[in-house]
Amino acid sequence: MIQRPRVGHIDFINCLPLSYAWNCDAYADGLEIVRATPAELNQAVVEERLEASPVSSIIYARKSENLLLLPDVSISAAGALKSILLVAKRPIDELCQSRIALTAKSATSHCLLKIILHQAYRATPDYFISAQGLAEGVLDTAEAVLLIGDDALHAYYHRSAELYYYDIGAEWKKLTGLMMVYAVWVVNRDFALAQPEMIRRIAKCIHGGFAYGLQNLSAAAASLQGQKDFSIEQIVEYIGLLNYKLTDEHQAALLTYYQMANELNLIDRVPKIQFAQV
């Protein structure tokens, strides 16, 4: 029997409330925390190297036969959020057949951009994965680049007058009128069925950790001073754009995203929303 379940964690600012709680040794008791990028955690969950983790929401659709959702936790936003950003050398409606670089750090944002460009702009660009950012010269070989997380926030707060910036959360809201669920927390289905007490412990640590971090948000933001290139006010403002629930409204938005991804053959089927018992 596993004594300390392995639980993934993203050290991006969008998970700061939970990071703060866990860094203070509050709410992480009994867990082995594995810190990595969203893409690395996606792969680790699929390969069953983690019992639970946040994953890009598209990963649940692709692997739902092996996964269950943890109730009432996500990373979502009802519009612009600054951290899913398309940076382009020309206006978005002129990107029809351009080369667009996609961040190597996530998966949901790739599908989201493809849906938006296809549905809203009738664009069919040539997409490719790149580990380069703006500072490394990614726009030397592409007309636009999709950035996420702290990279996107940095680009947002250090905009160049020569480039165009599109908040993909705002574009999704404009297209559908819905919020967007970017990440969900999942557990290995077999593990959840075999060890329900562990799942309850994991859920308690995550829900309690987020509540603690949000109640102490200014202190959490201050704890990043010297580590991130953002002010405390910018961090607090950004966290305020996010929503960490997974209500019926979130689930309806998530299923709309899955339906549109399925119509573009980005996923094989629209999954059922199935939760672990906690």
Side-chain angles (χ1 to χ4, degrees):
M1 174 181 287
I2 294 174
Q3 298 300 317
R4 298 177 71 226
R6 298 163 296 185
V7 179
H9 182 63
I10 305 167
D11 262 331
F12 288 178
I13 294 175
N14 57 16
C15 279
L16 174 63
L18 189 58
S19 300
Y20 182 71
W22 286 359
N23 289 340
C24 294
D25 291 329
Y27 299 101
D29 184 42
L31 305 184
E32 179 182 341
I33 307 301
V34 179
R35 300 169 188 270
T37 67
E40 291 167 339
L41 294 178
N42 292 344
Q43 189 65 26
V45 166
V46 169
E47 295 175 354
E48 300 185 11
R49 289 184 281 114
L50 296 173
E51 280 67 62
S53 181
V55 295
S56 302
S57 54
I58 200 71
I59 297 300
Y60 174 73
R62 290 173 174 161
K63 296 295 179 181
S64 62
E65 70 276 14
N66 299 325
L67 302 172
L68 291 170
L69 294 165
L70 270 187
D72 203 27
V73 62
S74 75
I75 299 175
S76 303
L81 77 160
K82 305 177 183 177
S83 63
I84 310 285
L85 206 62
L86 182 70
V87 183
K89 293 193 288 189
R90 62 183 66 179
I92 195 168
D93 56 0
E94 296 179 11
L95 294 174
C96 281
Q97 296 181 333
S98 300
R99 277 172 56 79
I100 296 182
L102 304 174
T103 173
K105 295 182 179 178
S106 184
T108 290
S109 59
H110 298 182
C111 296
L112 185 60
L113 179 67
K114 291 173 182 177
I115 290 169
I116 289 167
L117 289 183
H118 181 271
Q119 298 288 1
Y121 298 99
R122 299 300 172 195
T124 55
D126 175 20
Y127 298 103
F128 68 101
I129 304 294
S130 175
Q132 291 183 315
L134 290 173
E136 291 77 33
V138 66
L139 290 184
D140 292 342
T141 56
E143 292 300 306
V145 58
L146 178 69
L147 303 173
I148 72 160
D150 295 3
D151 295 338
L153 277 175
H154 182 85
Y156 178 87
Y157 286 117
H158 299 82
R159 280 170 281 186
S160 165
E162 299 176 352
L163 298 173
Y164 298 85
Y165 296 81
Y166 298 94
D167 189 306
I168 299 305
E171 291 287 329
W172 170 258
K173 180 75 172 182
K174 185 167 65 176
L175 177 65
T176 66
L178 299 172
M179 69 170 64
M180 180 64 202
V181 180
Y182 295 97
V184 291
W185 267 253
V186 298
V187 298
N188 178 283
R189 183 184 288 263
D190 291 340
F191 177 80
L193 296 176
Q195 301 199 46
E197 285 298 326
M198 287 284 190
I199 296 301
R200 282 190 278 276
R201 179 194 298 179
I202 292 169
K204 183 178 180 181
C205 289
I206 292 171
H207 292 149
F210 266 116
Y212 178 84
L214 289 169
Q215 290 166 3
N216 296 276
L217 185 55
S218 294
S223 72
L224 292 183
Q225 289 301 286
Q227 301 178 40
K228 303 285 186 180
D229 190 20
F230 309 109
S231 68
I232 294 174
E233 291 75 18
Q234 287 171 333
I235 292 171
V236 170
E237 179 186 22
Y238 169 61
I239 297 293
L241 299 174
L242 297 172
N243 183 288
Y244 297 106
K245 298 294 186 180
L246 188 53
T247 65
D248 291 346
E249 183 181 2
H250 290 78
Q251 294 171 46
L254 187 59
L255 286 171
T256 298
Y257 169 64
Y258 287 156
Q259 183 66 48
M260 297 176 81
N262 179 248
E263 290 169 1
L264 287 183
N265 296 317
L266 300 173
I267 55 176
D268 293 334
R269 58 188 171 78
V270 177
K272 293 182 179 178
I273 302 295
Q274 293 185 300
F275 291 103
Q277 296 295 316
V278 299

